[in-house]
């Protein structure tokens, strides 16, 4: 396949390797703080260099001592950034990690399809966009990258990975996800990012890892149950508090209405009393005027 050579690291062709190494020799600062990282879409050459660096990182961890095996995910991705940078791939550790998780998940989908192609269906690279959507496959996964990853996948002593099995990384500033998947120290949310690329020997180590994984899984389940209980209790407390608040609000509103009614009643009674007093006074004045008129009329008669 054009652009792919299984004899070179990561399956990169000689031409592509020369181009990338030439780009890396143009001269940039070795200090990560002074690096200007490239943005935008990844090229096939960049992806091949990055996956080769990731593969080397796995091999270093598998063959290294305790210190190497206990490096944090952040340290490992920074090392991969340095490796990529030395070969002209000017991407940050975060960019490498995000892209790796993406292509790892996409590779798994394509690889699963290629291992069991439905009867009468073409290979992924002969499929149209509609068929890719039908089988929920990536729209444009590079065949060179697929072959390089499959070569690695086939040569690695594989272990089955349970998606729910997670392991907290050694203390270090974390990005989204906050946990490392059990193999390879991945530091993200996608279990597919493992791709079974453990790069570690089998046998007793696998049995120990399985036992540790079971304990961690039980611990995580227990933690999740405890968290669920806390959330449920908090939810009940919040609902009760809201209901109590609404009840107090209704009581205050009712008291306000009662006060306004009493105030209006008192005002009306006062006005009524004043009105009756005015009427009585006018009546008395009328009686007095009648008496005065009668007296004047009596004195004025001949």
């Amino acid at each position: 396949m054009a652009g792919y050579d299984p004899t070179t690291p990561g399956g990169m062709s000689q031409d592509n390797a020369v181009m990338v190494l030439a780009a890396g020799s143009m001269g940039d600062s070795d200090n990560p703080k002074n690096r200007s990282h490239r943005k935008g879409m990844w090229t096939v050459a960049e992806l091949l260099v990055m996956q080769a660096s990731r593969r080397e990182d796995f091999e270093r961890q598998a063959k290294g001592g305790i210190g190497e095996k206990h490096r944090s995910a952040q340290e490992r991705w920074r090392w991969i950034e340095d490796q990529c940078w030395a070969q002209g791939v000017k991407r940050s550790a975060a960019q490498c990690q995000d892209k790796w998780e993406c292509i790892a998940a996409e590779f798994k989908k394509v690889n699963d399809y290629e291992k069991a192609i439905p009867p009468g269906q073409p290979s992924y690279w002969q499929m149209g966009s509609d068929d890719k959507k039908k089988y929920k496959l990536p729209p444009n996964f590079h065949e060179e990258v697929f072959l390089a990853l499959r070569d690695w996948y086939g040569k690695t002593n594989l272990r089955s990975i349970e998606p729910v099995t997670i392991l907290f990384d050694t203390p270090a500033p974390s990005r989204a996800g906050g946990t490392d998947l059990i193999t390879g120290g991945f530091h993200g949310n996608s279990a597919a990012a493992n791709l079974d690329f453990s790069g570690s020997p089998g046998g007793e180590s696998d049995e120990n890892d399985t036992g540790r994984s079971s304990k961690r899984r039980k611990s995580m389940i227990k933690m999740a149950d405890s968290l669920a209980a806390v959330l449920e209790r908090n939810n009940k407390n919040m609902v009760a508090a809201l209901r109590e608040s609404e009840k107090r609000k209704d009581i205050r509103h009712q008291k306000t209405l009662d006060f306004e009614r009493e105030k209006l009643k008192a005002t009306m009674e006062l006005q009524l009393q004043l009105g009756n007093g005015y009427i009585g006074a006018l009546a008395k004045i009328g009686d007095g005027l009648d008496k005065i008129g009668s007296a004047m009329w009596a004195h004025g008669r001949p």
Side-chain angles (χ1 to χ4, degrees):
M1 183 55 57
Y4 176 76
D5 182 358
T7 64
T8 59
M12 185 182 299
S13 69
Q14 295 291 346
D15 291 341
N16 282 341
V18 170
M19 290 174 61
V20 171
L21 290 173
S25 63
M26 294 178 66
D28 283 288
S29 174
D30 290 332
N31 187 348
K33 295 182 179 180
N34 297 331
R35 292 174 179 174
S36 178
H37 299 105
R38 181 175 177 272
K39 306 295 183 181
M41 296 181 63
W42 287 63
T43 65
V44 175
E46 286 181 314
L47 292 174
L48 291 173
V49 170
M50 191 266 286
Q51 74 86 24
S53 300
R54 185 59 172 155
R55 180 174 181 173
E56 185 178 350
D57 174 66
F58 272 100
E59 294 172 352
R60 289 173 67 249
Q61 186 191 36
K63 298 176 182 178
I66 296 178
E68 183 66 32
K69 293 181 183 297
H70 286 81
R71 281 192 305 141
S72 69
Q74 186 180 47
E75 291 172 330
R76 296 180 66 184
W77 283 113
R78 283 177 178 172
W79 183 87
I80 291 173
E81 176 187 343
D82 292 338
Q83 293 297 108
C84 289
W85 197 267
Q87 299 179 67
V89 179
K90 298 176 174 57
R91 302 286 184 168
S92 68
Q95 286 176 305
C96 291
Q97 179 180 350
D98 292 341
K99 192 61 179 178
W100 172 259
E101 292 176 354
C102 178
I103 65 172
E106 291 183 345
F107 168 79
K108 188 176 187 305
K109 293 179 181 179
V110 176
N111 190 52
D112 289 345
Y113 176 83
E114 289 294 303
K115 288 191 298 185
I117 298 177
Q121 291 298 320
S123 173
Y124 170 81
W125 289 275
Q126 281 74 49
M127 297 174 72
S129 58
D130 292 339
D131 287 334
K132 291 178 181 178
K133 289 181 181 179
K134 176 181 177 182
Y135 290 98
K136 298 180 180 180
L137 296 173
N140 185 28
F141 195 79
H142 300 291
E143 189 169 6
E144 296 92 336
V145 178
F146 175 83
L147 294 175
L149 290 173
R150 191 177 65 178
D151 177 68
W152 177 12
Y153 188 86
K155 293 180 180 178
T156 304
N157 188 9
L158 302 181
R159 295 185 298 174
S160 60
I161 303 300
E162 300 179 37
V164 298
T165 304
I166 56 178
L167 170 65
F168 287 103
D169 190 14
T170 54
S174 60
R175 303 191 307 113
T179 57
D180 282 344
L181 295 166
I182 192 168
T183 56
F186 285 92
H187 197 68
N189 296 324
S190 174
N194 278 298
L195 285 181
D196 293 338
F197 293 160
S198 64
S200 60
E204 182 180 354
S205 176
D206 289 346
E207 295 177 0
N208 293 338
D209 286 343
T210 301
R212 288 195 294 269
S213 299
S214 178
K215 291 180 180 179
R216 294 187 191 106
R217 184 163 56 253
K218 291 179 181 179
S219 177
M220 292 303 297
I221 292 174
K222 184 177 180 180
M223 184 183 301
D225 291 340
S226 299
L227 179 60
V230 172
L231 292 175
E232 183 179 3
R233 184 167 61 253
N234 289 345
N235 184 55
K236 289 181 179 179
N237 292 338
M238 184 179 296
V239 171
L242 289 174
R243 288 177 177 174
E244 182 65 23
S245 176
E246 290 296 324
K247 182 178 179 180
R248 289 197 297 268
K249 187 185 297 184
D250 290 340
I251 292 175
R252 287 196 300 271
H253 181 65
Q254 186 63 41
K255 288 182 178 180
T256 301
L257 292 178
D258 293 342
F259 175 77
E260 292 295 334
R261 280 196 293 268
E262 291 296 329
K263 182 178 178 181
L264 179 61
K265 181 179 179 181
T267 301
M268 293 179 65
E269 289 178 351
L270 178 60
Q271 290 176 347
L272 181 60
Q273 291 175 1
L274 291 174
N276 291 335
Y278 291 149
I279 293 173
L282 291 173
K284 290 179 180 180
I285 292 172
D287 292 340
L289 291 175
D290 287 341
K291 291 179 181 179
I292 292 172
S294 298
M296 292 178 63
W297 173 259
H299 289 292
R301 292 181 61 185

